[in-house]
């Protein structure tokens, strides 16, 4: 097998072509007005918003930073513009049952009109009704009713008094409203008890009989007077109704005529009219203290709370369906709640204290929620599911479930729900909901997957330039020159870890544009150039470079032992990636292997001390399988081995070191040294094929920095899987070193190619007789295994002979 050649410079970076960016700066290109690279998600959004059926709500899924919220909101707002503004919803007092307020639907805008008209009428009544009761005409009629009853009462009592006087009796008022007859003295004055006691027995008996007879007549007369008093009160009430009717009828009739097409509203206005007639004193007296407590938090303090209109939701200010985003999706913020006020230790409430939730405001349109925040709020997820499942909004549900005091609360009419809910979250949350909540799949039937990258084609690069122009315009940044745009596009390919793809991470892109704008603005330049992009990237690396610099310094001082020259048996430079999600750094790591007589076991020290992850353990098992397939297919392996990442204190995971571990193991088995000027990364399968890994750019650059710090010798470099070649978007300093032949990068597809590069001898090919060539790596390993097998066989024969004797 031929030794692989280093990759040419053209394979290490894919630069933009200037002919694809024929503009001076972003002011000359139109901003982006559509989705970019999200056709799959857009199709899902179109479907979810077009199917007006129960359960077709949406879950927008994708990694953080993709701009899901922005794109989702933009799409929904565009779709909402094609829809009519939904109805207004009111809550009105039920005069027959105050606990069950009416929910009333009116066309968009009419709810506000009705509220204003009724408020105007009631404010007029607060003046007109007292005025109607405070005039001479009313007083005269009321006085006439009162005088008429007084005359009837006086006539009846006077007749009884005269009749009693004829019998020597006096009619007196003993208690308020209580009359009785007593004997009269010679001066026609009520006789006291002493005088009455001095009378003869026959006289006293005669008086008692007369008093009993007259009191019978008195009781009969008082019953008649009670009926007359009732008639008088009814006449007074009738007079009050007439006066009230004169004050209210004209204005109320105007409202009824204006809203004649709404029977439910007509029913309410009739009930309101009757209630005002029955409770006209509300307009004549000050409201009670409890009513004042409620009125203090009601929409209009000037109007008695029972006659107010609680305009729950109105879209009069918009011309289309709403798009609502609730940033704090608590249960109350979602489905609404009823506020309470405390009066003298007692909790009070009424319909005017019903408050809408986000679902009320989004009813007839769209609601956007962050799934993680939603699930973190107690009862919010269950409240949302209940509303979507039943298709109604019940404000009293949670209060009923949680109430333990037995206090009286409201039971407002439920409101029909017609709203598409869009949740946003990541894949982990989506899968958890799908697995653990059966209702989720029924209620959120549409999943919109947002891509993290898109193909890097010429048309897409032009779209990306428009995206940059849009961000610059929205953020009020300086214009970006064509060279700056080209450099941003190239960096987007690096962010996507592929030469032929572009990252759609809007957050990272926006951050880079702002940094470059800051640098250009600081220099008082009219636009951002490519150099500012480079400087912004370098500044980002410097800010996050404390740990990488510390590691590099430790390597230079041999505190972390990494060899970049010479050769060693059983020692390989592996490559790892460390860092956070926004900045990754490649770091070399020494892998060592030792072999000894045994039974074909490969000990993964990292796993044995519980510092190795499952993926790393899997890689070691795969290389063990490959090793056994090569040398132990027909015979045992009389050899054990141990592999470890030296100076690893934070744990190891991933299988990207399995190629390096295999080379290290081969070196120890064959006692052939490994070139230390090379580093290797790649995973293998049981067929000996090298498989791609992640973080290839960072890994190459990490080893390059170590070699540069110690001095480039011209023979140093990195071996990577062949499939990772398309992902190479290396920094400029690495490309310059490659161009100067001071550093090299090789790609391999088979284990044997890596062996040729790192061990300097061919791996070997099995002959037709089943033997490995002697001067090959596999031949050396096979010879050593044969010697061990012979030794093992001799040992067994000796043991057998000893036992026989």
């Amino acid at each position: 097998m031929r030794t692989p050649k280093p990759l040419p410079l053209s394979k290490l970076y894919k630069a933009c072509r200037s002919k694809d960016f024929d503009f001076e700066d972003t002011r000359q290109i139109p901003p982006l007005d559509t989705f970019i690279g999200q056709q799959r998600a857009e199709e899902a959004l179109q479907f979810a918003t077009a199917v007006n059926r129960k359960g077709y709500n949406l879950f927008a899924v994708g990694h953080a930073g993709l701009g899901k919220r922005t794109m989702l909101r933009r799409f929904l707002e565009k779709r909402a513009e094609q829809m009519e503004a939904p109805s207004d919803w009111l809550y009105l007092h039920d005069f027959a049952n105050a606990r069950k307020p009416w929910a009333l639907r009116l066309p968009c805008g009419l709810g506000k009109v009705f509220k204003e008209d009724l408020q105007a009428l009631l404010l007029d009544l607060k003046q007109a009704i007292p005025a109607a009761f405070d005039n001479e005409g009313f007083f005269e009629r009321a006085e006439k009713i009162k005088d008429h009853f007084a005359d009837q009462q006086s006539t009846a009592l006077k007749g009884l008094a005269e009749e009693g006087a004829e019998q020597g009796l006096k009619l007196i008022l003993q208690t308020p409203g209580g009359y009785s007859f007593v004997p009269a003295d010679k001066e026609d004055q009520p006789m006291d008890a002493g005088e009455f006691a001095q009378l003869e027995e026959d006289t006293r008996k005669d008086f008692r009989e007369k008093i009993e007879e007259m009191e019978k007549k008195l009781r009969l007369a008082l019953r008649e007077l009670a009926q007359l008093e009732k008639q008088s009160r009814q006449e007074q009430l009738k007079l009050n109704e007439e006066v009230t009717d004169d004050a209210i009828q004209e204005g109320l009739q105007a409202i009824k005529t204006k809203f004649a097409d709404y029977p439910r509203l007509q029913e309410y206005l009739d009930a309101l009219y009757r209630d005002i007639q029955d409770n006209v004193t509300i307009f004549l007296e000050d409201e009670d203290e409890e009513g004042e407590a409620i009125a203090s938090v009601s929409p209009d303090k000037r109007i008695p709370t029972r006659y107010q209109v609680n305009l729950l939701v109105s879209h009069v200010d918009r011309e289309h369906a709403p798009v609502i985003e609730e940033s704090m999706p608590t249960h109350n913020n979602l489905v609404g709640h009823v506020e309470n006020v405390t009066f003298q230790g007692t909790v009070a409430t009424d319909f005017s204290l019903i408050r809408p939730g986000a679902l009320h405001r989004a009813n007839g349109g769209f609601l956007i929620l962050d799934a993680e925040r939603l699930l973190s709020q107690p009862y919010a997820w269950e409240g949302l599911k209940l509303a979507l499942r039943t298709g109604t909004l019940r404000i009293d549900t949670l209060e009923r479930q949680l109430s333990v005091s037995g206090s009286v609360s409201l039971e407002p009419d439920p409101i029909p729900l017609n709203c598409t809910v869009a949740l946003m979250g990541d894949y982990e949350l989506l899968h958890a909901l799908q697995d653990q909540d059966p209702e989720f799949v029924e209620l959120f039937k549409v999943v919109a997957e947002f891509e993290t990258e898109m193909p890097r084609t010429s048309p897409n690069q032009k779209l990306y330039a428009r995206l940059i122009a849009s961000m610059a315009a929205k953020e009020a940044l300086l214009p970006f020159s064509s060279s700056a745009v080209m450099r941003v596009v190239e960096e987007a390919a690096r962010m996507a870890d592929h030469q032929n793809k572009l990252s759609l991470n809007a957050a990272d892109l926006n951050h880079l544009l702002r940094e470059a704008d800051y640098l250009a603005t600081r220099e008082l330049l009219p636009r951002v150039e490519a150099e500012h992009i480079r400087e912004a990237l370098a500044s980002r690396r410097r800010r996050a470079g404390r740990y990488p610099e510390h590691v590099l310094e430790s390597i230079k001082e041999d505190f972390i032992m990494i060899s970049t020259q010479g050769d060693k048996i059983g020692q390989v430079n592996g490559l790892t990636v460390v860092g956070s999600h926004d900045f990754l750094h490649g770091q070399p790591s020494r892998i060592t292997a030792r072999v000894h007589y045994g039974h074909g076991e490969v000990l993964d020290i990292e796993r044995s001390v519980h510092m190795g992850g499952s993926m790393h353990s899997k890689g070691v098992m795969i290389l063990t399988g490959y090793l056994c397939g090569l040398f132990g297919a027909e015979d045992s392996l009389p050899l054990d081995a141990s592999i470890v990442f030296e100076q690893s204190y934070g744990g190891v995971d991933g299988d990207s070191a399995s190629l390096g571990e295999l080379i290290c193991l081969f070196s120890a088995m064959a006692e052939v040294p490994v070139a230390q000027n090379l580093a290797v990364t790649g995973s293998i399968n049981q067929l000996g094929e090298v498989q791609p890994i992640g973080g290839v750019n960072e890994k190459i650059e990490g080893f390059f920095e170590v070699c540069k710090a110690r001095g480039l010798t011209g023979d140093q470099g990195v071996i990577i899987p062949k499939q990772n070649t398309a992902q190479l978007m290396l920094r400029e300093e690495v490309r310059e070193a490659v161009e100067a032949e001071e550093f090299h990068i090789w790609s391999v597809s088979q284990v044997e190619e890596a062996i040729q590069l790192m061990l300097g001898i061919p791996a070997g090919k099995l002959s037709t007789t089943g033997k490995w060539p002697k001067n090959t790596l596999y031949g050396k390993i096979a010879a050593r295994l044969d010697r061990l097998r012979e030794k093992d066989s001799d040992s067994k024969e000796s043991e057998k002979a000893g036992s026989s004797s």
Side-chain angles (χ1 to χ4, degrees):
M1 179 176 290
R2 292 182 180 180
T3 303
K5 293 183 178 180
L7 293 174
L9 184 64
S10 60
K11 295 288 186 179
L12 308 184
Y13 193 85
K14 184 176 180 180
C16 291
R17 298 179 300 179
S18 57
K19 67 177 183 179
D20 291 335
F21 301 87
D22 54 349
F23 55 86
E24 290 188 8
D25 59 49
T26 50
R27 289 174 297 188
Q28 298 176 347
I29 55 177
L32 190 68
D33 56 358
T34 184
F35 286 118
I36 177 172
Q38 301 294 356
Q39 288 76 16
R40 190 194 313 274
E42 186 173 8
E43 183 179 346
L45 291 175
Q46 289 174 343
F47 175 69
T49 56
V51 179
N52 188 19
R53 294 288 187 273
K54 182 180 178 181
Y56 283 86
N57 297 290
L58 176 73
F59 193 100
V61 61
H63 297 296
L66 295 178
K68 295 190 299 294
R69 176 179 281 101
T70 302
M71 288 186 280
L72 181 62
R73 188 174 186 92
R74 186 184 303 166
F75 179 90
L76 294 180
E77 286 177 344
K78 189 174 182 180
R79 177 71 179 87
E81 290 174 357
Q82 305 168 10
M83 301 165 59
E84 293 183 356
S87 303
D88 292 351
W89 280 98
L90 322 170
Y91 268 115
L92 302 171
H93 180 68
D94 185 349
F95 298 104
N97 187 349
R99 289 188 60 191
K100 296 184 176 182
W102 290 5
L104 189 68
R105 182 206 300 259
L106 288 176
C108 182
L110 277 188
K112 183 178 181 180
V113 173
F114 173 71
K115 178 177 180 178
E116 291 174 348
D117 288 352
L118 189 59
Q119 282 180 336
L121 171 64
L122 291 167
L123 289 174
D124 286 343
L125 292 181
K126 288 194 70 175
Q127 303 295 326
I129 290 178
F133 281 88
D134 189 19
N135 64 64
E136 291 299 327
F138 171 76
F139 289 145
E140 288 179 4
R141 296 178 62 185
E143 196 65 29
K144 186 180 293 184
I145 294 171
K146 183 179 179 181
D147 290 345
H148 179 65
F149 171 71
D151 290 344
Q152 290 177 311
Q153 184 184 44
S154 176
T155 300
L157 293 176
K158 185 177 179 182
L160 286 172
E162 290 176 351
E163 184 178 352
E166 292 176 356
Q167 302 182 47
L169 300 177
K170 185 73 173 181
L171 180 65
I172 63 172
L173 179 65
Q174 288 186 327
T175 59
Y179 292 90
S180 65
F181 283 97
V182 297
D185 58 15
K186 295 178 179 180
E187 297 178 359
D188 198 28
Q189 295 299 317
M191 189 180 297
D192 59 29
E195 292 178 303
F196 184 75
Q198 293 177 2
L199 297 176
E200 296 181 357
E201 178 62 28
D202 292 340
T203 304
R204 291 199 302 272
K205 182 178 180 182
D206 183 53
F207 270 124
R208 290 191 188 100
E209 291 175 353
K210 291 178 180 178
I211 289 172
E212 183 177 354
E213 181 65 26
M214 289 305 298
E215 285 191 344
K216 287 182 181 178
K217 294 181 180 181
L218 175 62
R219 285 194 293 273
L220 181 61
L222 289 177
R223 282 198 292 270
E224 292 176 353
L225 286 176
Q227 289 295 324
L228 292 173
E229 185 179 13
K230 182 178 179 181
Q231 292 176 7
S232 177
R233 287 198 304 270
Q234 290 176 344
E235 289 178 11
Q236 182 64 50
L237 289 175
K238 185 176 181 181
L239 174 60
N240 292 347
E241 290 178 359
E242 290 178 7
V243 173
T244 304
D245 190 66
D246 290 341
I248 191 177
Q249 192 60 247
E250 182 178 355
L252 185 63
Q253 190 58 44
I255 297 178
K256 294 185 67 174
T257 302
K258 189 173 184 178
F259 295 91
D261 295 334
Y262 307 101
R264 182 73 164 167
L265 197 55
Q266 297 292 314
E267 184 181 350
Y268 169 76
L269 291 173
D270 289 340
L272 178 139
Y273 170 75
R274 291 192 298 270
D275 191 78
I276 293 178
Q277 292 281 22
D278 294 340
N279 299 279
V280 70
T281 53
I282 292 176
F283 294 87
L284 301 176
E285 300 174 357
D286 292 335
E287 197 166 5
D288 62 275
E289 293 181 357
E290 182 175 340
E292 289 178 358
I294 295 177
S296 65
V297 292
S298 294
D300 193 332
K301 301 176 184 178
R302 301 169 297 171
I303 298 174
T305 54
R306 65 193 293 115
Y307 301 131
Q308 288 184 10
V309 175
N310 187 349
L311 183 57
L312 198 70
V313 178
S314 178
H315 300 282
V316 66
D317 296 330
R318 68 175 83 240
E319 299 177 354
H320 51 75
V323 177
I324 304 298
E325 182 175 356
E326 178 55 60
S327 58
M328 184 55 66
T330 63
H331 181 276
N332 287 354
N333 287 351
L334 278 178
V335 300
H337 64 288
V338 181
E339 291 181 345
N340 299 309
V341 295
T342 303
F343 171 72
Q344 294 182 352
T346 302
V347 177
T349 188
D350 72 2
F351 79 100
S352 68
L353 301 182
I354 298 173
R355 300 294 180 251
L359 284 168
H360 291 91
R361 299 194 302 274
N363 202 3
F366 306 98
L367 175 61
I368 302 173
L369 299 171
D370 184 283
E372 186 173 359
R373 291 183 182 177
L374 173 68
L375 293 170
S376 68
Q377 299 297 328
Y379 308 104
W381 175 237
E382 294 301 324
L384 175 64
K385 288 194 299 180
L386 179 63
L388 295 178
R389 186 174 63 249
T390 61
T392 58
L393 289 169
R394 300 189 64 91
I395 293 180
D396 62 331
T397 304
L398 183 62
E399 285 77 1
R400 283 186 173 185
Q401 292 176 355
L402 300 183
S403 178
V404 294
S405 64
S407 59
V408 176
S409 185
L410 301 182
E411 300 176 24
D413 282 348
I415 293 177
L417 177 64
N418 180 23
C419 172
T420 299
V421 176
L423 295 183
M424 298 179 297
D426 55 25
Y427 284 96
E428 182 179 359
L429 190 55
L430 172 64
H431 295 155
L433 286 170
Q434 289 173 333
D435 293 341
Q436 300 176 24
D437 192 337
E439 289 184 312
F440 173 78
V441 179
E442 294 300 318
L443 297 176
F444 291 85
K445 297 181 184 295
V446 182
V447 176
E449 295 190 66
F450 283 77
E451 303 286 351
T452 58
E453 55 198 28
M454 70 176 184
R456 185 184 174 185
T457 62
S458 180
N460 281 351
Q461 287 188 148
K462 293 178 180 179
L463 284 175
Y464 213 84
R466 292 178 60 188
L467 175 63
I468 295 170
S470 297
M471 288 183 170
K474 183 179 179 179
E475 296 281 338
L477 306 179
L478 293 174
F480 284 69
S481 68
S482 59
S483 63
V485 172
M486 291 166 63
R487 186 64 189 85
V488 172
V489 171
E490 291 165 3
E491 183 60 25
R494 178 182 168 95
M495 290 162 57
D497 283 329
H498 204 287
Q499 292 180 351
N500 297 316
K501 294 181 180 179
L502 296 173
S503 169
L504 294 174
N505 193 310
D508 286 349
L509 177 60
N510 231 329
H511 184 38
L512 177 59
L513 298 184
R514 293 192 196 103
E515 285 194 67
D517 171 80
Y518 162 73
L519 296 171
T521 302
R522 187 178 63 179
E523 297 176 11
L524 302 179
L525 296 176
R527 65 186 184 187
V528 179
E529 301 291 347
E531 184 58 35
H532 298 122
I533 304 297
R534 295 189 188 94
E535 188 176 348
L537 292 170
S539 297
R540 184 182 298 180
R541 287 195 297 273
R542 283 195 301 272
R543 290 197 300 270
R546 188 193 66 81
Y547 177 74
E549 288 178 4
H550 174 72
V551 171
L552 185 59
E553 183 179 348
S554 297
I555 292 174
K556 287 169 64 177
E557 296 175 354
D558 274 341
F559 191 79
I560 297 177
M561 293 185 289
I562 299 293
S563 299
T564 56
Q565 296 182 32
D567 48 36
K568 297 283 183 66
I569 294 175
Q571 179 174 305
V572 167
N573 289 324
L575 295 173
T576 61
V577 173
V578 296
S580 60
H581 72 282
D582 58 346
F583 183 81
L584 298 176
H585 170 69
Q587 179 178 319
S589 183
R590 176 181 288 181
I591 304 171
T592 61
R594 287 294 179 265
V595 297
H596 54 85
Y597 178 77
H599 303 285
E601 295 183 1
V602 177
L603 174 65
D604 177 12
I605 295 178
E606 302 291 343
R607 182 184 182 187
S608 298
V609 298
H610 305 292
M611 291 183 66
S614 58
M615 291 304 298
H616 177 259
S617 299
K618 178 183 177 183
V620 174
M621 291 178 182
I622 289 173
L623 72 86
T624 303
Y626 177 65
L627 186 65
C628 291
L630 280 177
F631 304 110
E634 297 180 358
D635 205 346
S636 62
L637 289 177
L639 195 87
D640 284 350
S642 60
I643 300 176
V644 68
F645 274 75
E646 303 289 357
Q647 296 182 286
S648 169
Y649 306 109
V652 175
D653 201 4
D655 63 349
S656 64
S658 57
L659 175 59
E661 290 171 325
L662 182 62
I663 296 296
C664 191
L665 188 59
F666 280 157
S667 170
M669 293 174 69
E671 297 182 323
V672 175
V674 180
Q676 299 300 297
N677 57 305
L678 302 179
V680 63
T681 182
S683 70
I684 62 166
N685 58 30
Q686 293 191 112
L687 303 176
E689 297 170 329
V690 179
Q691 300 173 140
I693 45 80
V696 64
N697 291 295
E698 290 79 8
K699 289 178 178 179
I700 293 173
E701 291 164 357
F703 189 66
F704 170 79
E705 288 174 356
V706 172
C707 294
K708 181 181 177 183
R710 288 185 169 171
L712 296 171
T713 60
D715 61 351
Q716 296 156 330
V718 175
I719 299 170
I720 64 171
K722 188 173 184 179
Q723 296 94 323
N724 285 118
T725 304
Q727 295 179 307
L728 294 178
M729 290 294 291
L730 295 169
R731 295 206 304 260
E732 191 172 2
E733 59 177 340
V734 180
R735 304 199 308 270
E736 289 174 351
V738 170
E739 187 176 18
E741 297 186 354
E742 296 176 339
F743 195 76
H744 309 280
I745 299 166
W746 293 269
S747 66
V748 296
S749 58
Q750 296 289 330
V751 170
E752 290 78 11
E753 295 175 291
I755 291 172
Q756 186 81 34
L757 286 167
M758 301 192 72
L759 299 175
I761 62 173
K765 187 175 182 180
L766 199 63
S767 67
T768 55
T769 60
K771 300 293 184 180
W772 297 102
K774 291 184 178 181
N775 295 324
T776 64
L777 178 71
Y778 293 164
K780 292 178 180 293
I781 293 174
R784 185 176 184 184
L785 292 174
D786 288 341
R787 291 194 301 271
L788 290 172
R789 290 188 184 109
E790 290 176 5
K791 183 178 179 181
D792 188 42
S793 178
D794 292 343
S795 176
K796 289 179 180 179
E797 288 293 332
S798 298
E799 290 178 2
K800 185 177 180 181
S803 62
S804 298
S805 62

